[in-house]
Amino acid sequence: MTPWLRPFGRGAVRAALLSGLVLGGPAWANAAHHDISVEQQLLAGIGTLASDEFAGREPGTDGEKKTLRYLARQWFDIGLVSGTNDPSHPWFAPVTLVGREPVGSRAEFSRKGRPVSLPPADVRVMTFGRRGLVQHAPFYFVGAMGGDVPPRTELAGRVAVLLDRAPPGMSAEMVPLAVRQNALIEGGAAAVLTVLDGNRTLAMVSERRRHQGFALADAAPEGDLEAYVTREGMARLMGGMPAVDALASEAARPDFTPHLLDMTASLEATTRQTTIRTHNVIGRLPGRHPEAGAVLLLAHWDHFGLCGAGKPGVPDTRPTGAGPHEICNGAIDNASGLAALTEIARRLAHQSGGMDRDVYFLATTAEEMGLLGAEAFADAPPLPLSQIVAAFNLDSIAIAPAGTPLGVVGAGMTRLDAGIAAVAREQHRKLVSPEWPNSFLKRQDGWALIRHDIPAVMVTSAYGDKARYQHYLDTDYHRPTDVVKPGLELGGAAEDVAFHIALVHYFADPHQWSGSAGTAER
């Protein structure tokens, strides 16, 4: 056990928590809920978790230690009990991640049988495994991949050449590059060569891989290959920039069909293994009849830690002369979700009478690395997954003002829709069309749970206002500018807290919700 967690593995949880020596936190963050408004409580929680003291909450760092101690102290003071159901690991469920640091990259190309060389500054090859290798594989141009994945018979043994730019009529947030790349690998491609024809650079790709090159220790992939080539490098391979422009124009046509190019590649990448030992935090509000199942609420606690000066063109919000801001504090993503999760727990715990079903509260690690904490929870749950009758994720909710309708990420994917609609009618809340919210389905922890047949959705006002959310994506999302600023919008988040309290009461009542778990036909 990690030394700083040992007090919790020695049966001294209560003493450690009450002493204040192990778990810290500002006094104003622990004020009684009836003395402070929901918005004030949310601001207090976000201000703590997104402070520079927490250093961006990167897994495996001192920022993780501070985050876990703060959350456990808050939840204990509220009146939750440990939800790990593991006496050797109260509150903190260990998660081991294996990462691969790139150490070798080799790319050899030929066009019409003749070798074409590229300088290292124009091409990079990466793998999530120890070593990936493909030799003399033909190029298969798939455009920007806005439609279905080509048949396996077309992809097998070939290098899928993919444009980085979003498909026509779609945004990069709707169809992230990683989702398109993974679909091609899973579809049978020997490798994916991405042409960086947008704002992304090879340096940015390498930095992103530093955070996403991880997997759960027992599920680390082997042998997949991802290569990246600059637009200039692709022009050299094809004999000139007009040929690259012609590919982009072709891919934009409605009748575009993937096809072979007269080029081949031999690609190889090697890595060095690193290990991160991190943790989920799990608390529980006991119900009167836990045999009737449980409701789960979750939010991811992790962010990117130190991440440089941000993306090009994004202004620094620090005062003049303060120096560059190199911390990705993650105020909205996802200190806001954590603060809401804690406030929901506080208000439920302080209500008289309790509920029939247990309510679990889960703060996941490594969401930014690929939903890995949620996946670890589903792989080793503290209760049978079939007993979780409903799960509600909270992520990046400090976006919209009070009175904004609710968006449901995961609508139509589970059997929860009727219950959510019933609570919305009771609370006089409007639900927007799920089409746009569902474009984010695979980018949040609920997706990892759905894949394990846990009925999970995200219900929030943040997805009820597309323009506001898109503005956040275009400005502060995953940048050092995602900090607590004057005028941080918490009206919608405060209403989300109230709505989730109503959701819990509805789904924790066997008389209102029978507990039919699982996902809808999809």
Side-chain angles (χ1 to χ4, degrees):
M1 182 178 293
T2 306
W4 60 271
L5 287 174
R6 280 178 184 152
F8 304 103
R10 296 285 186 266
V13 179
R14 179 179 177 83
L17 291 167
L18 292 179
S19 71
L21 298 177
V22 176
L23 302 181
W28 48 263
N30 294 316
H33 76 281
H34 55 270
D35 294 329
I36 299 181
S37 73
V38 176
E39 289 191 34
Q40 289 175 310
Q41 286 282 20
L42 292 178
L43 183 60
I46 296 170
T48 298
L49 290 161
S51 66
D52 284 357
E53 179 185 357
F54 283 64
R57 305 188 305 278
E58 183 176 4
T61 67
D62 284 343
E64 169 170 356
K65 298 176 187 179
K66 289 183 172 67
T67 302
L68 300 192
R69 290 168 177 167
Y70 171 81
L71 288 174
R73 175 61 184 264
Q74 291 280 305
W75 292 6
F76 182 86
D77 286 349
I78 286 168
L80 303 188
V81 299
S82 168
T84 63
N85 292 330
D86 180 358
S88 64
H89 295 288
W91 294 100
F92 308 119
V95 178
T96 301
L97 309 177
V98 172
R100 304 288 186 185
E101 178 185 357
V103 295
S105 170
R106 180 178 66 88
E108 298 175 356
F109 302 96
S110 66
R111 179 165 56 91
K112 297 181 179 179
R114 295 183 178 182
V116 182
S117 62
L118 291 185
D122 279 332
V123 63
R124 190 155 302 161
V125 189
M126 301 179 181
T127 179
F128 281 106
R130 292 182 178 87
R131 179 174 182 253
L133 174 66
V134 61
Q135 298 193 70
H136 310 298
F139 278 16
Y140 187 70
F141 182 55
V142 298
M145 265 284 290
D148 295 334
V149 178
R152 183 172 293 271
T153 53
E154 296 293 322
L155 289 173
R158 293 170 173 172
V159 175
V161 179
L162 174 69
L163 299 181
D164 184 15
R165 68 178 62 185
M170 302 182 183
S171 68
E173 286 72 30
M174 293 174 64
V175 281
L177 176 61
V179 171
R180 292 178 280 154
Q181 291 169 325
N182 291 341
L184 290 166
I185 291 292
E186 292 173 3
V192 177
L193 175 66
T194 300
V195 182
L196 298 175
D197 61 340
N199 295 324
R200 203 186 318 255
T201 66
L202 282 177
M204 293 168 63
V205 166
S206 297
E207 176 64 17
R208 186 70 175 170
R209 173 54 62 91
R210 186 173 75 86
H211 292 284
Q212 290 194 330
F214 284 86
L216 297 178
D218 58 355
E222 294 289 343
D224 63 306
L225 271 174
E226 293 176 8
Y228 298 84
V229 62
T230 64
R231 191 166 180 266
E232 294 73 18
M234 192 65 184
R236 183 179 181 120
L237 290 179
M238 298 192 68
M241 195 62 74
V244 177
D245 293 337
L247 283 183
S249 297
E250 179 188 0
R253 293 203 306 259
D255 60 346
F256 169 74
T257 302
H259 59 82
L260 287 168
L261 301 176
D262 58 355
M263 289 180 284
T264 64
S266 294
L267 307 171
E268 182 179 16
T270 55
T271 62
R272 177 171 52 241
Q273 179 173 309
T274 59
T275 300
I276 291 179
R277 291 178 173 83
T278 181
H279 304 80
N280 289 332
V281 189
I282 310 177
R284 180 170 61 93
L285 188 61
R288 293 185 295 265
H289 301 288
E291 71 280 359
V295 175
L296 171 68
L297 293 100
L298 66 152
H300 75 90
W301 63 255
D302 67 298
H303 204 58
F304 290 107
L306 298 178
C307 60
K311 298 183 179 180
V314 178
D316 191 345
T317 59
R318 289 168 71 88
T320 302
H325 185 191
E326 296 186 347
I327 299 174
C328 272
N329 301 79
I332 291 176
D333 182 14
N334 185 33
S336 68
L338 281 174
L341 182 69
T342 299
E343 186 61 14
I344 293 165
R346 186 193 323 275
R347 291 176 182 262
L348 286 172
H350 291 175
Q351 291 177 353
S352 61
M355 285 157 289
D356 285 331
R357 291 184 168 119
D358 282 351
V359 183
Y360 280 79
F361 297 86
L362 168 65
T364 60
T365 183
E367 188 268 356
E368 302 289 6
M369 295 178 174
L371 318 182
L372 299 181
E375 186 70 31
F377 173 87
D379 285 344
L383 75 167
L385 297 183
S386 60
Q387 291 187 14
I388 301 175
V389 302
F392 301 99
N393 187 26
L394 296 123
D395 194 344
S396 304
I397 67 170
I399 300 286
T404 302
L406 294 164
V408 182
V409 179
M413 296 292 293
T414 74
R415 298 190 179 97
L416 304 181
D417 293 357
I420 295 170
V423 176
R425 288 192 298 271
E426 179 186 88
Q427 298 292 311
H428 306 291
R429 298 298 302 275
K430 180 182 177 181
L431 299 174
V432 301
S433 168
E435 182 178 0
W436 181 75
N438 272 349
S439 68
F440 295 85
L441 177 66
K442 296 182 180 181
R443 300 181 59 188
Q444 46 89 38
D445 275 338
W447 175 243
L449 303 184
I450 284 176
R451 291 191 304 176
H452 287 266
D453 287 329
I454 302 171
V457 295
M458 184 155 60
V459 187
T460 171
S461 58
Y463 288 93
D465 189 326
K466 181 178 178 179
R468 285 179 180 271
Y469 200 87
Q470 189 63 52
H471 175 73
Y472 167 67
L473 294 175
D474 293 340
T475 55
D476 295 333
Y477 174 67
H478 286 184
R479 295 166 169 90
T481 52
D482 187 5
V483 295
V484 177
K485 304 174 185 178
L488 177 67
E489 182 56 73
L490 294 172
E495 291 185 343
D496 288 355
V497 168
F499 192 76
H500 278 78
I501 291 171
L503 285 174
V504 170
H505 277 287
Y506 182 89
F507 285 95
D509 183 353
H511 300 292
Q512 296 194 83
W513 189 252
S514 65
S516 298
T519 54
E521 295 295 325
R522 59 185 186 276

